[in-house]
Amino acid sequence: MMLFRVLFIGLVMMTSSLFLSAEDLKPERIHQITTLEVVDKLKRRHYRELSINDQLSQDFLAAYLAALDPNRLIILAAEVAQYQRLYGNKLDNMLLSGDLQAAYDIFNSYRNRVITLNTALLAALPQTIASFDFNDDDAMQLDRSEAAWPASEAEVNQLAERRLKAAALSLRLADKSNEEITELLRKRYQNQADRLSKLNSEDVYQAYINAFTQLYDPHTNYLSPVSSENFDISMSLKLEGIGAMLSSKDEFTSVVRLIHAGPAFKQGELKPSDRITAVGQGDKELVDIVGWRLDEVVKLIRGPKGSKVRLEVIPASAVSDEERKLITIVRDEVKLEEQSVQKAMIDVEDSNGIVHKFGILDIPAFYIDFEALRKRDPNYRSTTRDTAKLLSQLVNDGAEGIIIDLRNNGGGSLREANELTGLFIEKGPSVQIRLSDKKTYTEAKQYFSPYYDGPLIVLVNRMSASASEIFAGAMQDYKRALIIGSPSFGKGTVQSLTPMNHGKLKITESKFYRISGESTQHRGVVPDILLPKIYNSELVGESSLDHALAWDSIGKAAFKEFDKTSALLPQLIRQSQRRVKLQPDFQYFNEKLAYEQSIDIDFLSLNLKERKRLREDDKAKRLAIENKLRLAKGEKPLTSLDDESDEAEQETATESVGNAIDIDDAYLQESANVLLDFITAQKTVKTVSR
């Protein structure tokens, strides 16, 4: 390790001034003009009112430093203090005048130190890795976002060395030799250095201005011309890829959401909050993408229909970063027909042996074919039109009640959320929308028309967002349906994409409110009857995002409650809770999530034996949870979790994963049981009242 330290110190001495060289990046005139335009649009149109003052200046500086160095590994405490003296109360005025010099001064200093650090690290890499002792009691702090900034170059060196040791240990645990470890890490650090050296003025500007825009809320972003082009491609239904929304945090590319019926959704292994570490084309060698820019990762994952892409991921549930999972996905288009509403019938037997039939409507998105509508095609497709057709079929086939499954529905058309509400009420409002000028308007079913008035359940989970929350919230406020599942995502804001002279601005201009006056923002829709969660709400959901707009309320809209659910709800909750306690799948979900949430490691050991013990302990606990479920279902227990992976691969290879509804799903089964309880209780009330 001494060789690395000596080499590092020597290189630092050669590049020690704060602002360096002729190669330093500088702001361009177009960026100054764009800044003035961004500031003006945010001031006039954003829902949140922020004063551009000294407090915002300090928050902006902190946000920009965090964007550059989120784990506080590179920028020195003395530099932070200097930036605070120079810019702490001035960035607000600099924004208002379009002055961007601070952004580039800070970035250039940061980049020079990283390049110097990587140069030293790469020069001494073989000797450094060979010198690592994995038998000592060293440890690495996983999250340094709130730690003190490094006090000296020596501490920066020490932190870099510790992260290098952690990366080497993870590869050692994956049975890599020192030579393989050296080569893999050489490629990783060389790629990071190359990318950092190739960053241009546009890249710096986008990072800086987004540190500002995201002080307003996490969904407000400036998109450079290149980023804007990628955004337009990602919004097209013709995009050929894996069907996943990705984001970049720290050095990793993370999965935000899977598009329903997309290739990754069908394949079934990739999950929200998984971190992608490497990408391979077909059977070719995996390419390490740690530290890559998001647009470069997207280009690597995107590809022609029918081609295979392999993703190496760190699962969201992983105990530590050496845990890896290899997922193979066949790229394909996300087709409208596969996003469309599907129906099924589920049978439930009551205590007297009588079988009851309930209809299921799986609604994966709120869609509408605007092009066909514009052409006045009488057969244009939409969520509401498809739902109405299938609902009628289910009723005609003898469905005594309906379950609407909105799990994993990320939203879509506001118009369709309103229209769908109209299928289940006689007349009235569905949602209130408050604009940035605080004026409110209401979407509503304006005229009386036939509607389904039978028993209704709406099933939601943490990935039910936006338009899903509007519909579920309306059904709950009208007391028209029982809402079942886990609290929804909590995205109650509306964004618009505004073209500018240079790039585009995605801006939050309004906010959804339920007809009760409560916002869906942040809290989401809380079900009447709670079922076990499968997503960790600390990692997934609006409340997990920095600077998310707060929950609040406005005046109640004028509407008439159906009041079909209130009096019976306590009884229905008790009956459901008794079943959930005995249902093996729900016990499994509870235990699995409880175990994952219990994993709270601040410092990760860099001792080989301790890490092996930690890994084996984790595998044993997960295996015990898995086998408890298998035994409860009368299935053969696994001897290791590798057996489960083999089974999953065989199922993926031999089965065509389509769009069919799985009526054996525990959540659908419990929804049907609650629906039967509800119908039975209603009959009892009517009999007693006579």
Side-chain angles (χ1 to χ4, degrees):
M1 294 190 204
M2 183 57 68
L3 176 62
F4 169 56
R5 290 173 183 168
V6 170
L7 183 53
F8 175 81
I9 293 169
L11 286 167
V12 168
M13 290 175 64
M14 293 163 52
T15 58
S16 58
S17 63
L18 189 59
F19 306 124
L20 298 173
S21 83
E23 296 180 359
D24 284 353
L25 297 175
K26 298 177 181 179
E28 299 176 11
R29 175 61 180 163
I30 188 62
H31 297 145
Q32 297 171 335
I33 296 170
T34 303
T35 299
L36 297 176
E37 192 175 0
V38 168
V39 170
D40 178 64
K41 288 184 184 299
L42 289 175
K43 184 177 180 180
R44 288 188 296 107
R45 294 172 51 184
H46 199 281
Y47 188 87
R48 172 180 269 167
E49 295 180 4
L50 282 184
S51 298
I52 299 182
N53 55 22
D54 287 354
Q55 181 59 57
L56 180 136
S57 177
Q58 293 166 18
D59 293 341
F60 183 15
L61 176 60
Y64 184 49
L65 294 176
L68 292 179
D69 191 5
N71 257 322
R72 302 190 174 187
L73 300 166
I74 303 297
I75 301 174
L76 299 179
E79 290 174 323
V80 174
Q82 181 174 350
Y83 297 147
Q84 288 170 341
R85 288 193 302 272
L86 290 173
Y87 310 123
N89 294 327
K90 292 183 180 179
L91 290 187
D92 53 333
N93 298 321
M94 296 175 81
L95 275 172
L96 294 172
S97 64
D99 184 349
L100 300 169
Q101 193 58 50
Y104 290 81
D105 286 347
I106 294 171
F107 175 80
N108 289 327
S109 176
Y110 165 80
R111 183 176 69 161
N112 287 329
R113 179 168 289 110
V114 174
I115 291 174
T116 299
L117 181 65
N118 275 14
T119 301
L121 185 151
L122 285 165
L125 194 61
Q127 301 94 318
T128 304
I129 289 174
S131 71
F132 283 144
D133 180 3
F134 296 121
N135 296 313
D136 60 25
D137 294 328
D138 201 6
M140 181 185 73
Q141 187 175 4
L142 290 174
D143 181 5
R144 283 184 41 84
S145 60
E146 300 297 327
W149 294 94
S152 63
E153 302 278 9
E155 187 176 351
V156 170
N157 177 20
Q158 185 182 54
L159 290 169
E161 194 172 297
R162 192 164 288 143
R163 289 176 69 82
L164 175 61
K165 185 175 182 180
L169 178 54
S170 293
L171 292 170
R172 175 72 63 84
L173 287 164
D175 297 323
K176 302 293 184 184
S177 66
N178 273 3
E179 291 73 18
E180 290 173 313
I181 292 171
T182 300
E183 181 58 20
L184 285 167
L185 293 181
R186 185 194 64 76
K187 287 181 180 179
R188 176 180 299 181
Y189 286 103
Q190 187 62 59
N191 284 336
Q192 290 176 12
D194 290 345
R195 279 168 176 75
L196 197 60
S197 65
K198 291 175 183 177
L199 290 179
N200 56 36
S201 180
E202 187 73 56
D203 297 316
V204 179
Y205 178 71
Q206 181 165 293
Y208 182 70
I209 203 66
N210 275 324
F212 167 59
T213 64
Q214 292 188 14
L215 293 175
Y216 282 80
D217 85 300
H219 306 292
T220 294
N221 311 95
Y222 166 74
L223 304 174
S224 69
V226 172
S227 296
S228 178
E229 180 183 349
N230 285 332
F231 181 83
D232 291 341
I233 292 172
S234 72
M235 294 302 289
S236 170
L237 288 177
K238 293 298 183 183
L239 171 63
E240 293 177 348
I242 65 170
M245 293 176 61
L246 307 176
S247 69
S248 180
K249 185 176 182 181
D250 299 342
E251 297 178 316
F252 292 102
T253 297
S254 297
V255 178
V256 177
R257 177 186 294 277
L258 302 179
I259 298 173
H260 187 91
F265 181 92
K266 290 180 180 179
Q267 200 273 350
E269 292 186 86
L270 194 66
K271 303 296 181 185
S273 296
D274 283 356
R275 290 174 290 167
I276 303 172
T277 58
V279 178
Q281 307 299 330
D283 297 323
K284 294 181 180 178
E285 182 182 356
L286 290 168
V287 176
D288 187 291
I289 61 160
V290 177
W292 281 35
R293 288 176 9 180
L294 183 61
D295 59 338
E296 293 179 311
V297 177
V298 170
K299 287 179 183 177
L300 201 60
I301 293 175
R302 188 183 295 155
K305 176 181 178 180
S307 61
K308 286 194 306 182
V309 62
R310 291 181 300 141
L311 305 179
E312 182 186 74
V313 306
I314 302 172
S317 59
V319 175
S320 58
D321 285 357
E322 81 264 6
E323 186 175 336
R324 296 288 197 275
K325 185 175 185 179
L326 191 60
I327 300 172
T328 300
I329 299 172
V330 178
R331 299 179 177 105
D332 201 352
E333 288 184 10
V334 179
K335 303 179 181 68
L336 178 60
E337 57 268 25
E338 292 187 324
Q339 293 253 351
S340 64
V341 185
Q342 302 293 317
K343 72 176 176 70
M345 194 77 82
I346 188 170
D347 296 338
V348 183
E349 187 175 307
D350 67 18
S351 58
N352 297 317
I354 300 172
V355 175
H356 299 263
K357 299 165 72 70
F358 300 129
I360 300 170
L361 290 166
D362 182 7
I363 303 179
F366 285 82
Y367 55 88
I368 182 171
D369 188 344
F370 280 111
E371 182 65 20
L373 177 64
R374 186 183 62 80
K375 293 179 179 179
R376 298 184 179 179
D377 182 347
N379 298 313
Y380 75 88
R381 299 288 299 277
S382 77
T383 295
T384 304
R385 289 166 68 92
D386 291 347
T387 299
K389 178 182 176 181
L390 297 180
L391 175 61
S392 178
Q393 292 174 5
L394 288 170
V395 172
N396 290 337
D397 290 342
E400 301 174 50
I402 297 294
I403 300 164
I404 294 181
D405 189 354
L406 295 180
R407 288 175 298 167
N408 305 310
N409 182 322
S413 168
L414 170 63
R415 165 184 168 145
E416 286 305 302
N418 177 59
E419 294 287 326
L420 188 68
T421 301
L423 294 183
F424 302 97
I425 62 171
E426 187 176 43
K427 180 186 176 184
S430 60
V431 63
Q432 302 183 87
I433 301 172
R434 196 181 194 198
L435 306 176
S436 56
D437 61 7
K438 302 306 180 275
K439 292 179 181 178
T440 303
Y441 72 93
T442 302
E443 293 283 347
K445 181 180 182 180
Q446 301 287 356
Y447 305 103
F448 293 105
S449 66
Y451 65 97
Y452 173 77
D453 66 351
L456 184 65
I457 276 179
V458 178
L459 180 59
V460 297
N461 69 0
R462 190 62 169 173
M463 300 306 292
S464 305
S466 196
S468 295
E469 296 174 293
I470 291 172
F471 175 76
M475 293 296 97
Q476 189 175 52
D477 290 339
Y478 275 109
K479 295 185 171 59
R480 174 64 190 87
L482 286 166
I483 313 301
I484 295 180
S486 53
S488 60
F489 191 90
K491 185 180 183 295
T493 57
V494 189
Q495 288 73 41
S496 65
L497 194 62
T498 304
M500 300 196 300
N501 288 325
H502 188 72
K504 296 178 181 178
L505 183 65
K506 183 159 69 77
I507 183 170
T508 298
E509 290 190 305
S510 52
K511 199 171 179 182
F512 292 133
Y513 291 86
R514 293 164 57 155
I515 56 176
S516 63
E518 295 184 349
S519 173
T520 58
Q521 172 66 14
H522 212 276
R523 293 184 185 176
V525 176
V526 179
D528 301 305
I529 298 177
L530 290 168
L531 297 180
K533 299 183 293 183
I534 60 173
Y535 295 108
N536 185 345
S537 56
E538 293 182 3
L539 300 176
V540 178
E542 188 79 2
S543 60
S544 68
L545 303 177
D546 292 336
H547 305 295
L549 295 186
W551 179 94
D552 63 348
S553 61
I554 60 175
K556 182 178 179 181
F559 67 96
K560 181 181 178 181
E561 294 181 356
F562 285 72
D563 202 21
K564 286 190 172 185
T565 62
S566 298
L568 301 175
L569 191 54
Q571 174 187 339
L572 298 176
I573 291 173
R574 289 193 299 272
Q575 290 172 308
S576 178
Q577 287 175 341
R578 283 197 293 267
R579 281 189 300 269
V580 166
K581 287 180 181 178
L582 299 174
Q583 217 285 347
D585 285 303
F586 288 140
Q587 292 180 39
Y588 169 77
F589 295 140
N590 278 332
E591 290 183 22
K592 186 170 181 286
L593 186 59
Y595 171 63
E596 290 172 358
Q597 290 178 325
S598 72
I599 300 170
D600 186 16
I601 301 175
D602 293 326
F603 286 84
L604 185 64
S605 172
L606 300 181
N607 179 282
L608 182 62
K609 289 183 179 178
E610 175 60 19
R611 284 284 283 282
K612 284 183 176 179
R613 185 200 65 76
L614 185 67
R615 184 176 64 178
E616 294 307 313
D617 184 54
D618 176 62
K619 285 184 177 181
K621 288 177 179 176
R622 292 183 188 276
L623 182 62
I625 294 171
E626 182 68 31
N627 280 337
K628 184 176 179 180
L629 173 64
R630 285 176 165 266
L631 291 171
K633 290 186 166 186
E635 298 174 0
K636 182 181 177 181
L638 300 172
T639 56
S640 77
L641 292 176
D642 293 335
D643 296 340
E644 182 186 26
S645 299
D646 292 341
E647 285 184 9
E649 286 181 12
Q650 290 173 8
E651 289 174 4
T652 301
T654 59
E655 294 182 9
S656 176
V657 183
N659 214 25
I661 296 173
D662 178 13
I663 60 173
D664 292 326
D665 176 271
Y667 292 90
L668 290 177
Q669 289 284 336
E670 179 55 22
S671 297
N673 285 326
V674 172
L675 198 48
L676 178 58
D677 289 344
F678 179 56
I679 292 171
T680 303
Q682 277 190 317
K683 289 178 180 177
T684 302
V685 170
K686 289 178 181 178
T687 301
V688 171
S689 64
R690 290 173 188 162

